[in-house]
Amino acid sequence: MTATLERPPVTPVPPPASRKRLRRNDTAGPLAYVLLGITALVFLVPFYYMIVAASRPMAEMNRTPPPLTPGPDLWSNVVKAIDSQDIGLALVNSTIVSGVITVSTVLLCTLAGFAFAKLRFRGRAALFGVALGTMMIPPSLGVVPLYALMANLGLAGELSSVILPSLVAAFGVFFMRQYLIQTLPDELLDAAKVDGATSLRTFWSIVLPVARPGMAVLAMLTFMTAWNDFFWPVITLNSSNPTVQVALNNLGSGYVPDTSVIMAGTLVGTLPVIVVFLLLGRQIVGGIIAGAVKG
Amino acid sequence: MPTTLRPAPGVRTPPRAGTPWRTRLFQVEERTAPYAYIAPFFLLFAAFGLFPLVYTAWISLHSYKLGSDMEWLGLDNYTWLLSNPEFYNALWKTVTIGVLSTVPQLAIALGLAHLLNYRMRGRTFFRVSMIMPYATSVAAAALVFAQLFGRDAGAVNWLLGIVGVDAVDWRNGDWTAQVAISVIVIWRWTGYNALIYLAGMQSISQDLYEAAALDGASRWQQFRHVTLPGLRPTILFTIVVSTIGASQLFGEPLIFGGGKPDGGALGQYQTLGLFMYQQGWTYGSLGRAATVAWVTFLLIIVLVLVNTRLAKRRASK
Amino acid sequence: MKNIRKTSTAALTTAVAGTLLLAACGGGGGSAPDDGTTVLTVGLFGTFGYEELGLFDRYEAEHPGITITYESTQGEDKYWPALQTRLASGSGVADVQGIEVARIADVVANQQDLWTDLRNTAAAPSIDGYVEWKEPAATTADGAVLGLGTDIGPMGICYRSDLLAQAGLPTDPAALSARLTSWDDYVALGTEYRAAAPAGSAWMDSAGGFYNAIISTEQEIYYDATGNLVHESNPAVRSAFDTAAAAGQAGLTARLEQFVDPGWDAGFASGSFATIACPSWMIGYIKGKAGDAGSGLWNVTTLPGGAGGNWGGAYLGIPASSEHVEEAAELIAWLTAPEQQAEVFASVGNFPSTTAAIAMVGDATDPWFNGAPIGQIFSDSSTNAPVQILGPEDGVIKSAMVQALLSVEANGVTPADAWNSALADVNNQVG
């Protein structure tokens, strides 16, 4: 794909005006627009299909060829979905769960990632290896013992049983470590040390600002992962106190799962994530650029 | 903690005289802080990760049916597993679907990140659309794709029909089912990896590009000689994460298979994740499920080590 | 701008943290209120119809001091593992739990300690009112009864009269039934259909579904009366397998796996298949999938030769950990009483399992299905049904057989190879 961007390397380069040359080099050509346009289309078509399926009677979607335009039933299917499951409560619950997990994961992972990236201490390599190893544990592995543990703590069925195991993630530690190795110059830390700053102070006033773009990306990814987490919440929570995924799992209750209603519910359940992303997305884009300027 | 306030043996005299108390405190802080920073991770992991892990190992040595008591079996579950052709089938399918999904996914992501890194109009729109698939739950994505890949009324076959290709029975074919599932995975994760690459690219110093441009390097040469080396840690990171993700592939094939963990008539898309789920939650054999999980865990560790070593060796060449 | 964002992020963080604290303080757990009322929790899967019909509300109104909390999971395949996980951990289990018929043998064989023996409760008098095979399936070797039956799944043949007419076959239920005196007739008629059928329409949906229909009319399937596994030696199993496999090889099936392939759902509307062996509860499923446009296209007749069969149904049990066994027993006795069963059938379609209720619904017809006498068809099927011997591994074996048959029709595996691989799968799992 990128090969098409190749230019003959021997083309004589106009030696002056390096600034101008740089800017030109930075700007996308028509090909980039075409490729990104196609990709965006491919990425968005399933959403469109979801809207079409959510807005038509189930039987209509089973025709060949399938209908290509949205029908009139979107609102009534959304109402059916909300009627059959407490989606309002589920949205609140999911917001709490995903919000707490995100704040905690981002903070704790940045702390640990910073330690692993830039601080020297005994056992660093081994401990990092262990942290990495925890990522390889299949998530469904510990479900039975975990449920027993939550039951003993009296937390089964409570939101905290979903929150507690996800307060921190090895992925985040790994991610922040990689990010800080790349972006945080040792000189900055050395300078802070010479100035006599404690490492906590260094963390607060030097590491955090540099880490912010990475933290923003991690926050977004964590939020989405938490929002879409399915396997464990379905086991530990029940339909009277659900997260969005638990509620969606219970949608279309009965022998005749109504695909249209499920799709409508799925849309309602996905919407908040997309809104959060649209709000955060701008900041993330801004953050990434800010990070680049500093780097 | 307070006991560590005295200077550790071997610590050199404080560099600046006059404030020994503060200096000592700094030194102590410097030595203990790293542990304090990583402590939350390990404490939480010990409670909610390690305990289930160890306990699961214990379970794997037992016959443990859902709802009944455990009976000691020793290593019987392991001999059962290692002599079970279905296990090897699942292992092989995990590998093939893993390769089918991971390689294109990372390659496309790298290309997309490169494109997204340009100054362009509508950049925010493109970046947002890249991550939209990841914002969708696995369940929703797999549900939609299962419809799109339908044999009789699926949109994919309908499009193929326009070009004159006969309807494909995606679900029941061996490779076709694996391709369909890989497409779901690629669809969901490519934008995610592209964003991670993008963040990595942004952290590469502009000076390097400037220098390369001054040397007359083309865009492609800049990509090869500045971007790729600069991204090396990030690429390694995504390889490790994708390898782990692929080895645990579960939701996509489960929902593609209508919630049944058989992975098709021939087990053509039964991954290790599905195999484990089938043992534990369809057949109710928690002991065997725990065994599958532990063997998978060990295999993943080996795989990641090999992968990392290979990637490092390639990178150092 | 930047500052505003920062502030809003901080505010969001504070808000989230605050909410969590509130939630942590507020969530005191589900202990009973002090006003003397008893809270009964009911955990079910799919549609039992109780909530939908307002039966819980009615019960609460008639029984002051009882409050019912209902929770439902859509799929039984998700409901059961979660319930088992909770049973294993000893917490989070409801006072009343639904049990699907495919699980009852496992419950009876392995979980006697985890469920209440209903003989010693207020539900005891209800045990006798059922079709003769319903309650024995929920009874342990010691005679303990672990569940009260809700519904059963007597079977018929659902068919597309429009497609049959196009192929020149009889469309009247009685006329069709006259042509179907055995499963071989059914296959022969399918061959006839295939020769004259509209393009893209097969005789039946899947070999696995066909197998399942044949086997559901048998008394002894995978276990004999003494509880030994006989799936390999029972000629009925092999014969059903071979019949279904031959139909698959002959192209009489649409190769659509039931409940798994989205094309199966679509097929009810599109006509990918003309007939399907249908238990009573599938009536509602077909209506839902074919939609209003399908009204009048479908009809129902009896199984070949008027055979009786059963596929599906459920029980209500009381976990041993319940602290309100007596109240729960009164509740399940009321929910499964004939009047309530008949009411559930009328509105949701779940066929009753008590003989009194079956008598009440005998003349029910369904206008969507061309006015088919479904009450009569399914009543006859339920009375003619054999007393099936169920076993704890039935589900495993059935799923191996269905999977093997799919490989015959969809992947060209020979029936003999498929049979052997099904046996190998079963032995691997059960052995």
Side-chain angles (χ1 to χ4, degrees), chain C residues 169-366:
Chain C
L169 298 183
T171 59
D172 173 64
L176 189 62
S177 162
R179 294 282 302 272
L180 295 176
T181 60
S182 68
W183 289 112
D184 287 342
D185 282 355
Y186 177 66
V187 171
L189 209 59
T191 315
E192 220 176 290
Y193 177 79
R194 187 164 189 258
S201 177
W203 177 237
M204 62 180 109
D205 63 325
S206 64
F210 185 26
Y211 166 82
N212 192 29
I214 302 175
I215 215 73
S216 70
T217 62
E218 297 291 336
Q219 175 177 18
E220 185 181 287
I221 308 174
Y222 307 123
Y223 288 83
D224 67 12
T226 54
N228 295 316
L229 264 177
V230 294
H231 63 286
E232 208 168 336
S233 57
N234 184 354
V237 172
R238 183 67 201 255
S239 145
F241 186 94
D242 287 342
T243 307
Q249 274 192 314
L252 299 183
T253 63
R255 312 191 305 279
L256 296 168
E257 195 180 0
Q258 298 190 332
F259 298 102
V260 169
D261 198 325
W264 187 69
D265 281 353
F268 289 109
S270 69
S272 306
F273 43 88
T275 67
I276 182 171
C278 53
S280 51
W281 46 262
M282 202 185 276
I283 292 292
Y285 195 93
I286 296 174
K287 278 188 215 170
K289 293 298 176 185
D292 294 340
S295 177
L297 298 180
W298 285 87
N299 209 325
V300 192
T301 189
T302 55
L303 285 185
N310 186 73
W311 174 13
Y315 295 86
L316 295 180
I318 304 174
S321 60
S322 167
E323 287 168 13
H324 310 291
V325 171
E326 264 320 289
E327 293 89 340
E330 281 169 33
L331 174 64
I332 65 172
W334 186 82
L335 287 173
T336 57
E339 296 75 25
Q340 276 67 251
Q341 286 199 348
E343 203 176 323
V344 167
F345 172 73
S347 100
V348 186
N350 298 351
F351 201 79
S353 54
T354 58
T355 46
I358 292 175
M360 289 183 215
V361 304
D363 6 308
T365 59
D366 194 323

Side-chain angles (χ1 to χ4, degrees), chain A residues 25-28 33 47 65 121-122 134 140-141 171 178 182 193 196 198-200 225 228 266 277 285 288 292, chain B residues 26 29-30 33-35 37 45 56 119 121 127 131 134-136 140 158 192 202-203 219 222 233-234 276 293:
Chain A
N25 212 22
D26 243 18
T27 315
Y33 282 100
F47 282 99
F121 54 96
R122 195 172 292 182
T134 65
S140 43
L141 169 58
F171 165 81
Q178 296 299 99
Q182 275 181 11
K193 211 172 182 182
T198 62
S199 79
L200 196 64
T225 311
N228 288 327
T266 309
F277 179 75
V285 172
I288 289 174
Chain B
F26 275 148
E29 207 259 10
E30 201 179 322
Y35 297 105
Y37 294 170
F45 167 70
T56 304
R119 275 179 216 287
R121 280 163 196 280
R127 289 183 178 176
I131 201 72
Y134 187 68
T136 325
W158 178 63
Y192 168 97
Q202 301 278 8
S203 71
R219 278 177 173 185
Q222 289 181 24
T234 312
M276 183 192 72

